[in-house]
Amino acid sequence: MRGVTRRTTAGLALIVSGVLLTGCGGGDDGEAGGKPAPSASGGEERSGGAGGEVVREVTLEVRGTGKTQIAYAADGNRTEQVTLPWKKTVELSLTKAEQQVGVLVSVVPGPVPGDDGMLKPAPCVITVDGEKVADNQDGKDILGCEHTVK
């Protein structure tokens, strides 16, 4: 069990390092003049500010029970000790350039006991504008969940 924890911790550290090195973009927490209008790409286009900006609603979830450490990147890069189930929803404002190259969002859940008593990563899911775009197959993928939002 100790080797699983070390591998999971090492994997978590590797993912967090990669996320930090990619310089993941965040969203604009302020409102830009009124309710945004829907765009053809499924997000919302802001009527004020930079032209062509699109807003995407991103939800990160870690399922299960108990407490675990998680690392995530959506509106910045963070690690937290959380009680499961855990959920965070943010709005990402994407510029035209970010719509072309995308903005990486991710969540890396820490270990939780499986049905057999062995530690495994907690299940995670990412949704964008209500559509599931990533999951870790109920904890089978130790790398967690990531998606490039465009």
Side-chain angles (χ1 to χ4, degrees):
M1 198 153 96
R2 189 174 199 175
V4 171
T5 303
R6 282 189 182 152
R7 281 192 298 258
T8 302
T9 303
L12 181 62
L14 181 62
I15 294 296
V16 170
S17 298
V19 168
L20 292 173
L21 290 174
T22 60
C24 293
D28 176 16
D29 290 333
E31 283 293 311
K35 177 79 176 148
S39 74
S41 60
E44 297 178 338
E45 252 183 70
R46 298 243 186 223
S47 55
E53 191 172 88
V54 172
V55 176
R56 301 276 187 239
E57 183 179 87
V58 176
T59 301
L60 308 174
E61 289 183 72
V62 178
R63 298 174 177 165
T65 59
K67 292 187 178 195
T68 193
Q69 178 94 10
I70 63 166
Y72 66 94
D75 62 345
N77 300 315
R78 296 187 173 83
T79 58
E80 294 181 20
Q81 181 76 21
V82 299
T83 300
L84 301 178
W86 174 87
K87 184 182 212 180
K88 179 164 184 76
T89 300
V90 298
E91 285 189 349
L92 292 182
S93 298
L94 305 177
T95 64
K96 280 193 177 258
E98 289 171 327
Q99 292 170 51
Q100 293 296 313
V101 297
V103 173
L104 182 67
V105 295
S106 65
V107 60
V108 180
V112 295
D115 292 337
D116 59 1
M118 298 295 290
L119 291 177
K120 68 173 194 164
C124 62
V125 174
I126 298 175
T127 59
V128 176
D129 295 332
E131 179 182 336
K132 182 166 80 168
V133 295
D135 70 52
N136 69 345
Q137 296 85 39
D138 198 32
K140 291 179 185 153
D141 185 350
I142 65 168
L143 299 178
C145 300
E146 69 176 35
H147 179 72
T148 302
V149 179
K150 292 185 176 186

